[in-house]
Amino acid sequence: MAGQDLKALADRAATEIAAAADEAALEASRVRYLGRKEGALSEATKKLASLPPPERPAYGAAVNDAKIRIEKALEAREAALRDAALARELGQEREDLSLPPRRVRLGRLHPISQTMREVSRIFATLGFETVEGPEIEWDYYNFEALNIPPGHPAREKWQTLWISNPLGDDPSRPILGRTHTSPMQVRIMEERRPPIRVVIPGRCYRYEATDAIRESIFFQYEGLAIDEKLTMADLKGTLYAFARQVFGSDRKIRFRVDYFPFTEPSAEIAFDCFACEGKDPNCHVCGGDGWIEAAGCGMVHPDVLRRVGYDPTRYQGFAFGGGIERIAMLKTGAPDIRLFYQNDIRYLEQF
Amino acid sequence: MLIKVPVSWLREYVEIPISIDELALKLHMSSTEVKGVERPWWGEKVRVGRIAKLAKHPNADKLLLATVDYGEGRTKTVVTGATNLVEGAIVPYADEGAEIIDGHTGERTILRGKPMRGIQSEGMVLSSKELGLGEDHEGIRILDRDLPVGAVLREVLGETILALEVQPNRPDCLGVVGIGREVSALLGTRLMEPALDRLPERAPKGLDVRIDDEVACPRFAAALLTGVHIGPSPTWMQERLIAAGMRPIDNVVDITNYVMLELGQPLHAYDHRQLRDGVLVARAARRGETIRTLDGIDRVLPERTLVIADGQRALGIAGILGGEDSEIRADTTTVALECASFEPRRIGRTTADLNLHGSSGSAAARRFAWELSPEAVPLALARACRLLREHAGAQLEGVVDRYPQPRPRVNVRMHFSDMPRVLGIEVAPEETLDILRRLQFTVAADGDTLIATPPAVRTDIAIAEDIVEEVGRIAGYDRLPTRVPDGPLPLAERHPFEDFRERARDALVGFGLQEIVAYSLIDPAWLGMLKADDGDCIAPEPLRVINPTTVAQSAARSTLRASLLDTARRNLRQRTSLAIFEIAPVYIPRRGDLPDERTTIAILLAGDASPVKEGETWLVGNRKWDVRDIHGIVQGLADLLRVATRGEEAPAPGMHPGRSLALTDGGITHLIWGQLDPRVAGMWELPDETFIAEIDLVSWHRAAQTVKIAPPPRYPAARRDLAVVVSETTRYADVEAAIRSAAGRELESLGLLDVYRGAQIGEGRKSFAVRLVLRSPTTTLADADVDRVVRRIAGRLQHEVSATIR
Ligand SMILES: [Zn+2]
């Protein structure tokens, strides 16, 4: 057999092996070509000794080449057959994947927690640090330090739950459930020097009948920024940036006159209605007005600054406050503020 | 304070060349919150019409054909029987489909065109009755000839009422004239103040006033009026009072109310016959002094109460409530008219003392609680005297006006540059001056300096920022740009406790628990339902709400447990599985200080443990929560937060005595976990197997350890399992402690595999199968090393807990 014959042999073998239908056919091919006794290549190898020495190396190499090609073909076909068998087998292991999964227990944050985090997160992007403070508060911080002395008519705006201490009350220092988060303005300014940028979320209390939009125990967020050159335009821009992050980037903002004894000038901010954009006279979100009143705000009153020892000719700034539940309700369409506090899991697990 | 301003009344003092909706928006944005615009109910189809032509009805003597022009060249022919029409008359016209009142039934009805004696009537001209404005149904209501033909009638006639929420800094806006002043400034139209009578200088004979307390009563004036005829007040006045929400009484009382609604300043009229010694005195009530007030109640006056008295007795509570004795009667002919100024906080305190606060208080008291200007006193008195002369036949005998310490006028000295300093925008000096003048400020400018003097009725102006607000609001805040603060960012402080708390919150949610947020004020009776016996409450005596809205919210909770059990009770009515937690402060009273608001975690497990949808047991079986679950959650939380929960074990009140644990450290119980006392569970309609945990997060935060990060171990671990047989009474904790102390540093972990009881080990004994994992940081432990450690452990166990090792 000459070198060309060996190559032809290898070609024939490769074709045959590639067509082997199963393991048995493959084994038959292996015996036919590589079998020790009658394999075609064994025959060729035996022939080597009968060749004249100068022809031997070339012939030997040709035999080896043929052997390697055949072995590779066998390996490849064997792998292919194995894969096909495995694939067939896996195909048999069919599960009904429409059966329910083995479930994990799910817990969720309460919508109030979610909203407070959202408010803190957004104000953090504007450089406001989140701070907290006492819910049970001195009359001084809740009212007096904010220009609302006893008997001030503005106290009617903040109907108060007065608190009695079982270890004894001091009539000269009444305590109360803070009616807003604003006392923290004073506490923060007492502790720090400008520049200040803080946001204070927290629970507040009012002596008030409850209904679908009002609770006597509720959460607010308060903002305070004090520096040398802050203006009402900065206040407007800050709340605008907040509104856009909460309710969408195409929101508009509106300021109208309002009154708080501890800010001057004072304003109320409203956002244009994200639900109807002022186009639906029966809108359930804005009531058809096109605007959603969101927070009270203003420039911190010079008397408040003076009381904490700041020089109002050098420092000025702004403050704002709004309702946490209101944001949660507007964003999610939650229908009734009281449902937040009934803690019916069927309600909470929707948030 | 909500006030109602009839637009027709407002128009008396100021021109309003824009629609009421536009006016309302301007007021809302720049002046006073508009709560609503209350309109007549007439729709758009009721308009101002003009009788263009009158002709006889061809088929009926008593009927007329009126051609009505109702604007933009539109005309309709109507049939009418009215006799008071002339060509050119301005009348209310209702088109077909309009809602009107049926003149016969008095009910509202929809107008339908109908033929009358053969001629189609295409609409209707209306009587007062058909508009609901009165009983007159004889003739057509003839309107003011200046009304614009074609205008929607409700825009120009009838009481369109502005409901305004006036803020307490603006007592000047408590009268219609005050609102007129705002409108005049907003629209740039002229303010026409009401006509007054000039008050005479002379003091009247038989009437004097005296102020005993100048702080409580800075100004006190009174007029003496004779020849008064008591009777009803004119219809227009009654209509206005009704529209503004007051009930007409008689001409004298109505006039005092009318002037109050007009100028914001209350007045009080006395029957002069009842005045002893002909004097009115503002003085403090005497000890035990009593009075029968106009509401028919006999009141003992608190001692500091300011009263108006005559020479002998209190006649009324100053500024708040008149007395019955001296009220105006049908036969009153001589009236002493009081007009005074009171210190608002005293008024506020007295109304509170007498429980007349809020909307239940008198209209006068609510106004006096605000800082009315003493300058309004002579104005209101003069106005009332004029109206009494015109409508009650009164003759003014004289006036006495005590004002011992007249208030100096406020002059605010400031700079034009204060506008950009505060508002962030430039307002031209000319515009600033124009706005202030429109608001009736007196202004003087010199370079950048501005001196502004508010009108006498404005008591809210004191500093530059007040003037900035006036200019800003009238100029309009929509002119402000939206800017974000620049300048250096303040260095934010760290809040390790809050971070720790939020990690705990996330961890518990991650464990599959639902967070709840319950009311922080609870029913104090709940605290009594947390223990089965009559011992001390499990929590400190709570702070109480002095004026609760409901007893259910009258104590500041000193434990979260009651809220948790209540939430569980309500939820378990409709579900079989519950795993909830709350993180919130409890309020621990402190003597002479605000309470300690201690952040606490409360966890509750009840019912099915399987993490499945309600009712589904697929692949998980139907396991109930048990005490190991609550322990696992507590331990998992402690591990995640890296808290070493140490302390002395103590009984946990309110908990199952054999299946609960409290850990105290330094006198503070920082952890309770286990099964709720089934008797307590029963009180809350909860299953016997209810498991709770409470964690004092402040203590845990203190006990939290900072981690030292080390690379993973380099040498292999050796594992060895032991069976430790002990008496049934031996606790696992003691076994574990013995093993740990004997094993030394090479014990990496110790796990309990199983607890076995059975014949093989004998009665009264149990076997803990434990797995030791031993590892050296410096070498691979040989079997001989491990054997040595195990021998040491065995010896220690034998010695300390009498264990045998198998
Ligand atoms: Zn809307």
Side-chain angles (χ1 to χ4, degrees), chain B residues 713-755:
Chain B
R714 293 172 59 191
Y715 297 96
R719 286 185 180 76
R720 207 48 85 76
D721 292 352
L722 301 180
V724 183
V725 180
V726 290
S727 127
E728 188 62 65
T729 55
T730 303
R731 298 166 68 236
Y732 177 68
D734 300 329
V735 172
E736 181 176 339
I739 294 174
R740 285 188 184 282
S741 69
R745 278 181 310 153
E746 280 155 0
L747 180 68
E748 184 176 85
S749 72
L750 170 64
L752 178 66
L753 304 177
D754 190 23
V755 184

Side-chain angles (χ1 to χ4, degrees), chain A residues 273-280 283-292:
Chain A
C273 177
F274 60 87
C276 76
E277 296 183 323
K279 289 175 194 138
D280 178 4
C283 177
H284 64 283
V285 174
C286 66
D289 173 48
W291 293 94
I292 296 165

Side-chain angles (χ1 to χ4, degrees), chain B residues 671-723:
Chain B
L671 172 64
I672 292 173
W673 62 265
Q675 182 179 346
L676 190 65
D677 187 324
R679 293 166 293 181
V680 174
M683 285 188 256
W684 294 85
E685 304 161 33
L686 292 170
D688 284 354
E689 311 258 302
T690 295
F691 304 94
I692 64 169
E694 288 170 352
I695 295 162
D696 176 42
L697 204 61
V698 180
S699 301
W700 271 35
H701 181 235
R702 286 205 197 101
Q705 292 159 336
T706 43
V707 242
K708 287 195 207 87
I709 303 298
R714 293 172 59 191
Y715 297 96
R719 286 185 180 76
R720 207 48 85 76
D721 292 352
L722 301 180

Side-chain angles (χ1 to χ4, degrees), chain A residues 23-38:
Chain A
E23 298 269 343
L26 199 62
E27 190 50 33
S29 294
R30 180 196 309 280
V31 171
R32 188 169 315 127
Y33 295 103
L34 303 180
R36 210 158 279 229
K37 286 180 183 160
E38 286 145 36

Side-chain angles (χ1 to χ4, degrees), chain B residues 275-575:
Chain B
L275 252 57
R276 297 182 192 157
D277 308 335
V279 68
L280 288 170
V281 187
R283 64 159 167 83
R286 300 195 177 108
R287 184 186 295 267
E289 195 164 12
T290 59
I291 186 173
R292 172 169 293 184
T293 45
L294 275 178
D295 50 11
I297 297 172
D298 289 312
R299 296 171 187 275
V300 181
L301 299 169
E303 229 171 306
R304 63 182 173 177
T305 311
L306 187 75
V307 297
I308 304 298
D310 60 16
Q312 293 166 30
R313 70 223 156 114
L315 300 173
I317 304 165
I320 296 173
L321 211 48
E324 213 175 67
D325 280 359
S326 55
E327 71 176 317
I328 299 298
R329 294 169 204 280
D331 61 350
T332 301
T333 57
T334 304
V335 168
L337 187 61
E338 162 200 310
C339 191
S341 179
F342 301 112
E343 207 282 308
R345 292 194 210 160
R346 277 284 284 270
I347 297 283
R349 274 203 300 267
T350 306
T351 48
D353 286 350
L354 296 172
N355 209 7
L356 289 166
H357 234 352
S359 51
S360 66
S362 73
R366 290 168 62 217
R367 284 173 167 77
F368 277 128
W370 293 13
E371 199 178 353
L372 298 171
S373 170
E375 302 293 335
V377 164
L379 300 179
L381 196 60
R383 177 66 174 152
C385 287
R386 183 188 174 97
L387 292 173
L388 286 167
R389 177 169 62 79
E390 289 175 347
H391 304 292
Q395 165 109 30
L396 178 56
E397 296 298 329
V399 168
V400 53
D401 183 1
R402 305 267 183 241
Y403 190 18
Q405 285 169 356
R407 244 175 224 248
R409 289 296 284 273
V410 173
N411 290 308
V412 180
R413 192 183 178 86
M414 59 180 296
H415 303 287
F416 285 106
S417 54
D418 287 331
M419 305 298 162
R421 174 178 69 80
V422 176
L423 295 175
I425 49 161
E426 297 287 342
V427 182
E430 309 81 68
E431 187 183 6
T432 298
L433 294 174
D434 177 53
I435 287 171
L436 291 173
R437 287 197 186 106
R438 271 150 59 187
L439 285 163
Q440 295 193 323
F441 282 63
T442 308
V443 284
D446 179 12
D448 186 41
T449 303
L450 167 69
I451 297 170
T453 308
V457 291
R458 290 290 297 269
T459 51
D460 60 317
I461 304 292
I463 59 173
E465 279 74 5
D466 295 325
I467 304 290
V468 173
E469 181 174 60
E470 294 300 295
V471 173
R473 72 184 174 95
I474 302 291
Y477 290 135
D478 49 357
R479 274 169 53 178
L480 298 185
T482 51
R483 231 170 17 223
V484 179
D486 55 11
L489 275 185
L491 190 64
E493 287 185 12
R494 298 193 58 232
H495 298 279
F497 178 73
E498 286 77 5
D499 294 347
F500 184 76
R501 181 191 63 198
E502 294 312 306
R503 278 198 286 137
R505 210 188 297 274
D506 283 336
L508 292 169
V509 165
F511 293 168
L513 278 70
Q514 170 67 47
E515 189 192 15
I516 64 163
V517 175
Y519 292 121
S520 49
L521 300 177
I522 60 169
D523 187 336
W526 280 6
L527 295 174
M529 294 167 60
L530 298 176
K531 261 195 103 177
D533 52 43
D534 338 316
D536 289 346
C537 183
I538 67 149
E541 175 67 17
L543 297 147
R544 299 288 183 129
V545 180
I546 295 168
N547 57 333
T549 53
T550 155
V551 69
Q553 294 181 358
S554 61
R557 55 183 175 171
S558 48
T559 169
L560 301 185
R561 197 180 295 179
S563 315
L564 197 68
L565 301 186
D566 174 62
T567 303
R569 156 169 60 184
R570 285 183 289 103
N571 275 288
L572 284 172
R573 283 177 194 152
Q574 69 262 329
R575 56 196 304 122

Side-chain angles (χ1 to χ4, degrees), chain B residues 607-677:
Chain B
D608 295 338
S610 331
V612 290
K613 295 185 101 174
E614 202 54 27
E616 206 179 276
T617 57
W618 165 251
L619 293 177
V620 288
N622 202 3
R623 193 170 76 78
K624 300 277 182 194
W625 293 117
D626 64 30
V627 76
R628 308 260 166 256
D629 288 309
I630 194 78
H631 190 191
I633 287 169
V634 168
Q635 192 60 56
L637 187 63
D639 289 349
L640 207 73
L641 298 175
R642 303 184 200 287
V643 175
T645 55
R646 273 188 287 261
E648 286 169 40
E649 292 180 8
M655 303 288 283
H656 186 303
R659 295 190 190 152
S660 71
L661 191 70
L663 278 185
T664 60
D665 193 11
I668 291 171
T669 301
H670 61 82
L671 172 64
I672 292 173
W673 62 265
Q675 182 179 346
L676 190 65
D677 187 324

